[in-house]
């Protein structure tokens, strides 16, 4: 389908679709002078939204008591489409779908591609290559609790 047709179907601006293609979130094909996306496209992934969703999974894994927003996936179908997309793009490993989002998040494993997307690949590479310096403590300082 053309970008114009996709904009009509999904009721979003053509610029958003073009940006998703530019960001590598959406596959395109060139037919003549026209750029088209697959006719079976289920949703238009936006890079910032995908980053935020993956970050939400990461935050939940660090703090399981954190409430999970369903704003991006308000229903089961949208959640299923999103997880299919994340798997297809290599952001998550194989998963067993569950309508219970807490169970789904608990059993989802993010890949290095996901952390690269969330935190920016350049920054992740910097953090992986840090040579840690030993912590030097000033021996003249008195550290401890005053018990009195």
């Amino acid at each position: 389908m053309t970008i114009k047709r996709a904009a009509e179907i999904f009721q979003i601006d053509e610029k958003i679709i073009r940006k998703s293609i530019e960001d590598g979130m959406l596959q395109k094909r060139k037919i003549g002078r026209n750029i088209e996306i697959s006719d079976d496209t289920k949703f238009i992934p936006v890079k910032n939204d995908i980053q935020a969703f993956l970050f939400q999974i990461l935050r939940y894994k660090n703090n399981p008591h954190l409430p999970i927003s369903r704003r991006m996936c308000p229903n089961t179908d949208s959640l299923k489409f999103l997880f299919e997309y994340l798997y297809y793009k290599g952001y998550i490993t194989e998963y067993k779908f569950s309508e219970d989002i807490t169970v789904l998040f608990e059993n989802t494993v993010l890949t290095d591609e996901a952390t690269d997307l969330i935190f920016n690949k350049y920054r992740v590479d910097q953090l992986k290559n840090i040579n840690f310096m030993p912590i030097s403590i000033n021996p003249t300082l008195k550290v401890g609790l005053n018990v009195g």
Side-chain angles (χ1 to χ4, degrees):
M1 79 179 90
T2 64
I3 292 176
K4 183 176 184 173
R5 178 70 182 133
E8 292 168 0
I9 290 171
F10 292 101
Q11 299 178 355
I12 58 174
D13 194 302
E14 289 181 37
K15 291 177 187 176
I16 293 171
I17 298 170
R18 291 183 194 283
K19 181 71 173 141
S20 289
I21 292 169
E22 180 183 314
D23 289 340
M25 298 284 109
L26 194 58
Q27 297 298 317
K28 69 174 181 178
R29 64 179 179 254
K30 196 146 171 115
I31 299 184
R33 293 176 39 204
N34 294 326
I35 295 173
E36 294 189 356
I37 62 173
S38 176
D39 289 337
D40 62 354
T41 299
K42 296 177 177 126
F43 76 107
I44 305 296
V46 176
K47 184 176 181 179
N48 289 342
D49 292 342
I50 299 300
Q51 286 172 313
F53 191 80
L54 290 169
F55 186 65
Q56 187 172 339
I57 293 171
L58 188 62
R59 288 178 60 213
Y60 177 80
K61 288 188 160 303
N62 188 50
N63 181 1
H65 303 293
L66 186 73
I68 301 169
S69 170
R70 289 295 300 261
R71 187 175 59 113
M72 188 171 176
C73 302
N75 58 47
T76 301
D77 286 340
S78 61
L79 185 62
K80 193 177 289 187
F81 292 148
L82 180 58
F83 268 77
E84 287 175 11
Y85 173 81
L86 296 175
Y87 177 72
Y88 169 77
K89 291 293 280 185
Y91 297 133
I92 61 173
T93 60
E94 288 188 30
Y95 65 96
K96 183 175 179 174
F97 185 78
S98 171
E99 291 184 24
D100 182 343
I101 198 163
T102 58
V103 171
L104 187 57
F105 276 25
E106 285 170 9
N107 296 314
T108 299
V109 177
L110 300 180
T111 63
D112 284 346
E113 288 85 358
T115 56
D116 289 349
L117 182 66
I118 295 168
F119 296 111
N120 175 319
K121 181 173 177 21
Y122 174 74
R123 181 66 180 137
V124 170
D125 287 344
Q126 281 183 323
L127 292 171
K128 285 180 183 176
N129 294 320
I130 289 177
N131 291 324
F132 291 99
M133 299 282 292
I135 297 174
S136 298
I137 298 180
N138 182 344
T140 63
L141 289 177
K142 301 288 185 210
V143 179
L145 297 174
N146 287 335
V147 181

